[in-house]
Amino acid sequence: MHVLKNKIVVVLSSVALAALACLGGCAGSSDQSQVKESAEVKDAKVQDREQDKQQMLEDMFRNFLMAIREDTPAEDLYAMLTDSSEYWLDTLEHHARIYGPEDLDTCQFYEAYAILLYRLYEREHLWQVPEDRMLWLFLSKAGVIHNFTKLKLGPMKVKNDRGSIGLAQSPEVPIMIFEWDDKAWKLDLVETIPLITKGVEAIALKKSWSHKKLALYWLDREYHMQYTRLDDSLCEPIGF
């Protein structure tokens, strides 16, 4: 009788363990399934968000092109730029008023060129706006960005919070940079302008020129048929 009881206990224990193992296996399988499903849902949400950001970047760029081809108010143009871009333009305009030849030697090519062009506009009375003039030099109908965007461009690309676009013949090489600020895309001029002028800067390396000398050369190349004295006189502040 005692032996029979022990056998019954062993059998019941085995059944209980088997049932628990089965339940544990089912629970584990369910958990794995939920994890897999959760990962798939998360990936789908990420892809949807990236697609939304891609469309928003394309819409922003289309609106931006329209804005720089029209007489768009400065505040609307600034709204399309990163905060660092606005600060850079303000700083550069200040430098255009006070920098001497030695100061220009500390500038990058694109900064020296913008300063000299600013002074040329001042000397020749070419301004069409009373303020935000450096912004106008870059984003007006005849500005650096406007002239560049007349070229054939490739598709826009988005990676996380960074957007870019390149030329059609080399779409993988970014030439304009955009930043996502949690609700909209903004053009980053601080990163974009050096990319646009990179090809021109190669001339300075080849000829062992300073950035200032290259800026004067490029200014003369563009405007020598229109204005005289495209020379070192522009390296001096001209009494604003």
Side-chain angles (χ1 to χ4, degrees):
M1 184 71 177
H2 182 70
V3 173
L4 180 59
K5 282 184 178 180
N6 287 341
K7 287 183 177 181
I8 291 173
V9 170
V10 169
V11 170
L12 290 175
S13 297
S14 298
V15 171
L17 288 173
L20 288 173
C22 180
L23 289 172
C26 291
S29 176
S30 176
D31 289 343
Q32 290 176 1
S33 176
Q34 289 178 357
V35 169
K36 182 178 179 181
E37 182 180 356
S38 177
E40 290 176 349
V41 170
K42 185 177 179 180
D43 288 343
K45 288 181 178 179
V46 169
Q47 291 178 6
D48 288 342
R49 186 164 61 250
E50 290 300 301
Q51 289 177 357
D52 289 344
K53 288 168 72 173
Q54 173 80 30
Q55 186 60 54
M56 291 177 71
L57 178 58
E58 292 174 1
D59 292 343
M60 177 272 174
F61 190 57
R62 185 164 48 250
N63 292 334
F64 175 76
L65 292 180
M66 291 175 59
I68 64 176
R69 290 166 186 169
E70 299 174 355
D71 294 323
T72 303
E75 58 268 24
D76 293 339
L77 292 176
Y78 278 129
M80 298 181 178
L81 304 179
T82 59
D83 291 342
S84 60
S85 298
E86 182 174 353
Y87 175 78
W88 177 68
L89 288 173
D90 288 343
T91 302
L92 199 56
E93 184 160 349
H94 177 66
H95 290 169
R97 295 172 177 271
I98 66 171
Y99 265 18
E102 297 79 12
D103 301 309
L104 285 171
D105 286 331
T106 67
C107 295
Q108 297 297 318
F109 160 71
Y110 53 89
E111 294 172 325
Y113 174 80
I115 288 172
L116 297 183
L117 183 60
Y118 188 100
R119 291 175 178 177
L120 175 65
Y121 268 69
E122 182 71 19
R123 190 170 70 187
E124 301 295 335
H125 307 290
L126 302 176
W127 295 120
Q128 298 178 25
V129 291
E131 53 189 14
D132 300 300
R133 288 174 167 175
M134 194 60 78
L135 172 73
W136 188 79
L137 275 186
F138 279 97
L139 300 186
S140 70
K141 293 178 182 178
V144 173
I145 297 294
H146 175 262
N147 291 335
F148 170 75
T149 54
K150 289 190 292 186
L151 301 174
K152 189 171 183 180
L153 302 175
M156 307 205 75
K157 298 183 181 296
V158 171
K159 185 174 182 180
N160 298 324
D161 291 341
R162 187 178 176 90
S164 64
I165 190 170
L167 296 173
Q169 65 265 32
S170 53
E172 298 303 319
V173 180
I175 206 78
M176 294 183 75
I177 302 298
F178 302 83
E179 296 293 337
W180 177 255
D181 72 348
D182 293 331
K183 57 182 179 180
W185 287 102
K186 304 290 183 73
L187 173 63
D188 190 337
L189 273 183
V190 182
E191 286 201 55
T192 294
I193 298 300
L195 296 176
I196 291 176
T197 61
K198 190 175 182 179
V200 178
E201 291 188 61
I203 298 174
L205 293 174
K206 186 177 180 180
K207 295 181 176 291
S208 299
W209 286 353
S210 67
H211 291 146
K212 180 176 65 179
K213 184 173 181 178
L214 176 59
L216 282 168
Y217 165 79
W218 201 254
L219 201 64
D220 181 70
R221 185 178 181 275
E222 291 186 298
Y223 295 98
H224 74 280
M225 297 297 291
Q226 298 172 261
Y227 309 108
T228 58
R229 295 179 59 221
L230 298 175
D231 51 30
D232 287 341
S233 63
L234 289 171
C235 295
E236 299 286 352
I238 58 177
F240 292 91

